[in-house]
Amino acid sequence: MLAVLAERSTRGYPVPLPEDPLGDDDLHLALALTYELSYRGLPGVPEDLEWDPAVLEIRRVLEDAFEAGLRRAIRPRDLDHADIRSRLEEIASPPGDDSLSTFIEHRATLEQAREFLIHRSAYQLKEADPHSWVIPRLVGAAKTTVMDIQYDEYGSGDPAWMHSELFRNTMVAAGLDGSYGAYLGRLPGSTLATVNAITLFGLHRRLRGALVGHLAAFEMSSTLPNRAYGQGFRRLGFDDEATRFFDEHVEADSVHEVLAADLAAMVAADEPALAGDVVFGAEAMALLEDRFADRLLHGWKAGATALLPGP
């Protein structure tokens, strides 16, 4: 797909329609590449292809398949906006003993911890950017609440404390390449889907409720796993600087989870028609994160890797 974009040969490009649109490797890599044109671009790909009609047509087919798969997997719910907070609390339930975070805390090897960082780099090196698409689509207190959360994500005015930069430092400490997109070609669809979903919700105004729900569930389910990740990396010998990313999320997200729950309730109250999509976005986050974790744990417990072959 990257070569197709670089050569401007997108017109008539055959788009894959797989049986598993939630985790297919080819679908999600192709979608991630088209999405990247709206973030930092791609090496060798002309920037004007971001809004090229042929590229957008490919993206639309991929998006439709992905969204349809999510809609089939997640049962629609008719919710009153007053029920939003309690439903999100159910979705963002604490991790169990068989969770990925518990495995990393107590059992992961150094190589498995390094692999975890590679998978997470798909989102963490652009942390907060996909959710920021919602800012111009909200008004009043909801917009202010998002800005409050995002200000922390971007380092509260200090570039060294941007969460993406803290994650890059952790990757470097683990002996990995901390460059943006360095491992994109080795990431399976189950990993890329966790990021593609946020961009799907973010680029489409009609899905702003889903984006808010995703952000809320993401923040509400962050504190305990990041505490476990930090403990696991310390067990493996990482120092305070290398674990700062996880420790910062324990502190920041303990506040963000309250703000994010408030945000979801505000948006559903301001636009009651969006209540169902708020919950849909939260459930999509939980579903895709579970699939991502299952693939890693299945591979690790079998003594294998979930990464795709590569150099």
Side-chain angles (χ1 to χ4, degrees):
M1 184 63 181
L2 183 58
V4 169
L5 291 169
E7 295 168 5
R8 292 182 177 270
S9 53
T10 51
R11 194 168 302 280
Y13 179 77
V15 181
L17 292 175
E19 293 183 6
D20 178 20
L22 302 189
D24 182 79
D25 296 340
D26 292 334
L27 183 152
H28 282 285
L29 179 57
L31 188 54
L33 290 171
T34 63
Y35 280 159
E36 199 54 44
L37 297 175
S38 294
Y39 287 107
R40 304 191 195 182
L42 295 166
V45 176
E47 292 193 349
D48 65 340
L49 283 186
E50 179 184 1
W51 298 110
D52 181 84
V55 175
L56 293 180
E57 179 60 20
I58 292 171
R59 195 184 85 184
R60 183 190 66 78
V61 174
L62 297 170
E63 286 180 327
D64 286 352
F66 184 29
E67 184 180 352
L70 287 171
R71 298 281 183 189
R72 286 193 298 270
I74 298 170
R75 182 167 57 89
R77 294 174 180 269
D78 292 324
L79 288 174
D80 187 274
H81 68 83
D83 299 326
I84 291 292
R85 189 184 297 270
S86 61
R87 180 64 191 126
L88 291 181
E89 289 172 351
E90 292 174 12
I91 295 169
S93 57
D97 292 339
D98 59 348
S99 67
L100 177 62
S101 58
T102 299
F103 185 93
I104 289 177
E105 181 177 12
H106 297 293
R107 297 175 55 190
T109 65
L110 177 59
E111 283 306 304
Q112 289 167 343
R114 295 175 79 248
E115 181 183 340
F116 171 73
L117 295 177
I118 291 173
H119 285 279
R120 280 305 193 198
S121 67
Y123 172 71
Q124 305 299 168
L125 292 178
K126 61 159 60 86
E127 184 168 356
D129 292 348
H131 288 125
S132 292
W133 289 105
V134 82
I135 294 170
R137 291 165 181 168
L138 299 177
V139 298
K143 184 189 290 283
T144 302
T145 301
V146 173
M147 292 298 296
D148 199 355
I149 295 171
Q150 299 301 77
Y151 183 65
D152 281 349
E153 300 285 347
Y154 291 122
S156 302
D158 185 346
W161 280 87
M162 288 195 299
H163 291 183
S164 58
E165 180 64 13
L166 295 179
F167 189 83
R168 189 191 70 79
N169 293 340
T170 302
M171 292 188 73
V172 171
L176 298 169
D177 186 344
S179 303
Y180 183 90
Y183 296 100
L184 183 62
R186 298 206 59 197
L187 301 178
S190 54
T191 296
L192 294 174
T194 64
V195 189
N196 285 341
I198 321 176
T199 308
L200 168 66
F201 299 156
L203 286 177
H204 296 273
R205 182 180 175 276
R206 67 180 176 85
L207 294 173
R208 63 196 180 279
L211 186 59
V212 166
H214 188 290
L215 173 60
F218 196 82
E219 297 292 342
M220 293 170 71
S221 59
S222 174
T223 301
L224 293 179
N226 275 292
R227 179 177 288 117
Y229 296 144
Q231 292 291 87
F233 274 73
R234 276 186 281 272
R235 174 179 60 80
L236 293 167
F238 288 78
D239 62 18
D240 289 346
E241 182 175 356
T243 60
R244 186 167 293 132
F245 169 83
F246 304 114
D247 298 339
E248 170 65 12
H249 279 74
V250 172
E251 180 177 348
D253 291 348
S254 64
V255 177
H256 290 179
E257 63 185 62
V258 177
L259 291 173
D262 290 344
L263 169 67
M266 285 180 212
V267 169
D270 291 344
E271 297 186 78
L274 296 183
D277 261 2
V278 170
V279 173
F280 168 69
E283 292 188 327
M285 189 283 301
L287 171 66
L288 295 173
E289 287 293 323
D290 284 347
R291 288 171 60 98
F292 157 75
D294 286 347
R295 178 154 179 171
L296 262 66
L297 290 173
H298 179 77
W300 291 352
K301 290 176 181 178
T305 176
L307 293 171
L308 301 180

